[in-house]
Amino acid sequence: MITLPASFLAFFFGGLTPIACDSCNGAEAERFNQSFDTAFAVLQMGLAASSTWLPVSWWPRNE
């Protein structure tokens, strides 16, 4: 029941994360962008996996 709202919040706050480095410039900004791109891709894959497994786990079994 909490999976979908929590995943929307995680995606929202994950999307706001680049604001933390607004004052960064040069090499520091480049390092932040590279690490953020990797972290955000992992976040998206994790949310996609949990969103996929949620309906699969509730699927009725024919036993």
Side-chain angles (χ1 to χ4, degrees):
M1 182 100 155
I2 191 120
T3 303
L4 290 177
S7 63
F8 289 130
L9 283 174
F11 187 75
F12 176 74
F13 286 115
L16 289 179
T17 303
I19 296 172
C21 198
D22 275 346
S23 62
C24 301
N25 55 17
E28 186 179 25
E30 185 62 32
R31 283 193 312 270
F32 177 80
N33 286 337
Q34 289 175 351
S35 64
F36 175 75
D37 290 343
T38 302
F40 199 65
V42 170
L43 174 69
Q44 288 176 330
M45 287 187 287
L47 293 177
S50 66
S51 297
T52 301
W53 282 106
L54 183 67
V56 169
S57 68
W58 282 85
W59 201 265
R61 291 185 235 171
N62 295 327
E63 292 182 16

